[in-house]
Amino acid sequence: MADNSNYGADQITVLEGLSAVRKRPGMYIGTTDVAGLHHLIWEIVDNAIDEAMGGYCDTIKVNINKDGSLTVDDNGRGIPVEKHKKTGLSALETVLTVLHAGGKFGDNAGYKVSGGLHGVGVSVVNALSVDLTAQVYRDGKIHEQKYSRGDSQGDLNVVGKTDRTGTVITFYPDPDIFESTEFNFQTIVNRLRQQAYLTKGVTIEAVDERNGEKFKFHFEGGIKSYVRHINKNKDSIGNVVYVEREVKEGLVEIALQYTNGYQEQLYSFANNIHTTEGGMHVTGFKAALTRTINYYARKNELLKEKDENLTADDVREGLTAIISVKLADPQFEGQTKSKLGNAEMRTAVETVFNEAFAEYLGEHPNDGKGIVGKCHLAARARMAARAARDTVIRKGALEGMTLPGKLADCSSKDPANSEIFIVEGDSAGGSAKQGRDRETQAILPLRGKILNVEQARMDRILGNTEIKALIIALGVGIGEAFDIEKLRYDKAVIMTDADVDGAHIRTLLLTLFYRYFKPVVEEGHIYIAQPPLYKIWHGKKIIYAYNEDQKKEALKEFKNGHSLQRYKGLGEMNPEQLWETTMDPSTRKLLRVTIENAEAADKVFDTLMGSEVLPRKKFITSHAKKVANLDI
Ligand code: 0RA
């Protein structure tokens, strides 16, 4: 009796579980846009990676199928299929229909990716798929069961014999749930490449059956190869430093290499989950890095007695580093739950890296000299930048912190309903000033091209009039003084001509924002205006077309002839037209700039704006179209 009522209760929870997922998908996968859609893939791949980390799986294949469905195939142990004594369901069905059931089976030892940051279990993928087929290769048999929107469509059957093991899951995301069900191969490839670096020795393949594109990743060097990949087009200093050590707190793996660039590229992971907000492992690493370099520099008289110690910032200029830790019970904290909270990891990383890095420097004196030299240069630049910034601030103070003269500010002082248009050229700037809504819209015209910040240090950046005007207008300060709370506008809209120069200026501005005002980009304050390409009219009727398709559609509407103007620049529009087509909040379309993948974005800016010419040439010839609408 008791067992029976338990059984019933369990069943009800099961039902509630998956219908809750369908009712409020955002609670489980964050969003129902493209990010949420791809989340379904990561959920399954994470489980396969767990099999690989446990040593049970060495190959994972991800296919976008011709019909738009997606298959993840791994050669792990296969999800267990035997009946669960209490529920009467097979283990497979339990994993696929009970929230968070995955972890309850088999051994719980070892480090796990799944169940981590967003780990919600494969059942969520099932709940949000219109069709899902699970095939398990186990015990010499192929087991199969089909589902729709979380409900099984028939029994778990044996459909054949096999001599392999593994799990093959094919799913078609539910169009009733997702804004779009179209998978993006590039997004998938970027993520799988990263997972392959983090799980050395595993082979991960990706195929887009829609067009035959293929990738295959296998890195014996793990994150050491990752650092090499990031630094491929950079002028590096010395070799990649690599350490991997298992301690009682978990597994610590670090790879780093210095370059002659100015950017720091530090990516940290806990159980293969990208900890974008850092955390204890990063704190431990930074402390050890600063301490070891200062100690080494003093001991070898590379720093003179009168010299100050190198700061934590000095030792990270031009640094590329990957920190990857694995631990049994990771705690994720912070605004986006992407900050590792386990305090024991700070000391673990600090101790391991201190020891390993000191040993490396001792054995590679040339690398040591190069690294200290680079840090020393960074320190000198820091002091110059501080002096330059103090001058800027002092000047500002002398002028009563006046906003730049060419800024036409809005009258509202409430950032929440204020926006700034950063406009290419004085003539378009003039039209924008006349056409705008003075209450909420500020206009800052930029003359010519701004400085390429990718190839300049802070002191030069602060010496640039256009950039200085922009920083003062935004109000957020720069470098150590940066404070996003002081942002004066909710939206900063880049408005440039739809030509090559316009695209270049936009890229220069995006580089500036990305490198020096990253939180402003991350919090979604940067937008790109979408001016029309054509004006088509006859008599009083006017249609603006923003792309070629719209132009075609518009032409159909004019039966008795029409006039057509192709806009080459914003300057060709009068103030009213500019307002109507591009600035009026009730009708305009703005593109919001997002950072989907920091490493990919870094690579784009590095390739486009960095000092090496050849990779840039290659990139531009192969992405000519993409560059124009920089899809980061
Ligand atoms: C539950 C228990 C075990 C493995 C899995 C689930 C599993 C899930 C997925 C999802 C995709 N690939 C997968 N591979 C395995 C442990 C199995 C055992 O103890 O034999």
Side-chain angles (χ1 to χ4, degrees), residues 43-49 51 72 74 76-80 91 95 101-107 122 138 166-169:
E43 202 58 59
I44 303 178
V45 169
D46 283 357
N47 277 278
I49 293 278
E51 289 290 292
V72 181
D74 69 63
R77 288 169 293 183
I79 303 177
V95 167
K104 299 201 181 83
F105 290 86
D107 56 294
V122 194
R138 213 176 144 101
T167 306
V168 182
I169 293 178

Side-chain angles (χ1 to χ4, degrees), residues 221-228 240-243 253-257 267 285 319-324 353:
I223 60 170
K224 194 172 173 177
S225 314
Y226 201 171
V227 167
R228 265 194 216 111
V240 179
V241 182
Y242 176 73
V243 53
E253 204 184 351
I254 294 165
L256 69 84
Q257 186 180 39
Y267 303 111
F285 168 77
L319 173 72
T320 300
I322 310 282
I323 302 154
S324 171
F353 185 60

Side-chain angles (χ1 to χ4, degrees), residues 412-465:
S412 165
K413 293 286 165 258
D414 178 10
N417 64 12
S418 303
E419 45 192 51
I420 181 169
F421 282 79
I422 304 155
V423 187
E424 170 184 0
D426 283 336
S427 92
S431 289
K433 281 182 190 178
Q434 287 177 48
R436 70 184 169 135
D437 169 0
R438 285 163 187 276
E439 170 67 19
T440 59
Q441 298 182 320
I443 310 293
L444 181 70
L446 290 180
R447 189 168 299 149
K449 302 229 162 124
I450 67 161
L451 178 76
N452 178 2
V453 299
E454 194 73 13
Q455 292 183 51
R457 275 225 183 82
M458 189 80 99
D459 46 341
R460 262 191 71 212
I461 293 169
L462 287 170
N464 184 274
T465 324

Side-chain angles (χ1 to χ4, degrees), residues 347-376:
T347 29
V349 172
E350 194 172 340
T351 312
V352 166
F353 185 60
N354 245 334
E355 217 180 284
F357 193 37
E359 189 181 313
Y360 181 89
L361 292 175
E363 286 171 4
H364 301 82
N366 275 337
D367 285 14
K369 222 168 138 189
I371 292 170
V372 174
K374 165 70 187 167
C375 300
H376 204 59

Side-chain angles (χ1 to χ4, degrees), residues 169-298:
I169 293 178
T170 299
F171 66 97
Y172 195 99
D174 191 343
D176 288 351
I177 301 276
F178 294 97
E179 287 168 25
S180 158
T181 56
E182 197 174 321
F183 292 113
N184 181 322
F185 193 55
Q186 198 55 51
T187 303
I188 295 173
V189 165
N190 284 340
R191 169 79 174 220
L192 294 180
R193 180 192 292 111
Q194 186 185 70
Q195 290 298 316
Y197 281 124
L198 292 167
T199 322
K200 73 178 153 195
V202 71
T203 300
I204 306 186
E205 290 178 39
V207 181
D208 188 345
E209 304 279 7
R210 297 170 303 188
N211 58 19
E213 255 190 280
K214 268 184 195 153
F215 281 89
K216 188 169 179 170
F217 302 115
H218 176 101
F219 304 109
E220 276 307 323
I223 60 170
K224 194 172 173 177
S225 314
Y226 201 171
V227 167
R228 265 194 216 111
H229 164 75
I230 293 170
N231 282 355
K232 198 166 70 195
N233 296 327
K234 296 186 177 160
D235 176 14
S236 53
I237 301 170
N239 280 318
V240 179
V241 182
Y242 176 73
V243 53
E244 180 190 22
R245 203 161 295 167
E246 178 121 41
V247 289
K248 68 175 189 310
E249 294 87 353
L251 196 69
V252 177
E253 204 184 351
I254 294 165
L256 69 84
Q257 186 180 39
Y258 278 87
T259 73
N260 277 314
Y262 308 128
Q263 302 306 331
E264 167 194 1
Q265 273 179 260
L266 188 152
Y267 303 111
S268 64
F269 301 86
N271 291 10
N272 284 22
I273 291 158
H274 193 178
T275 37
T276 45
E277 295 175 279
M280 290 299 173
H281 51 339
V282 176
T283 309
F285 168 77
K286 287 180 180 173
L289 184 75
T290 314
R291 194 147 69 100
T292 307
I293 292 185
N294 274 303
Y295 182 79
Y296 175 82
R298 295 254 175 235

Side-chain angles (χ1 to χ4, degrees), residues 614-626:
L614 195 63
R616 173 158 59 238
K617 215 166 148 184
K618 268 196 200 152
F619 185 90
I620 291 177
T621 36
S622 67
H623 292 69
K625 242 193 176 145
K626 268 193 203 155

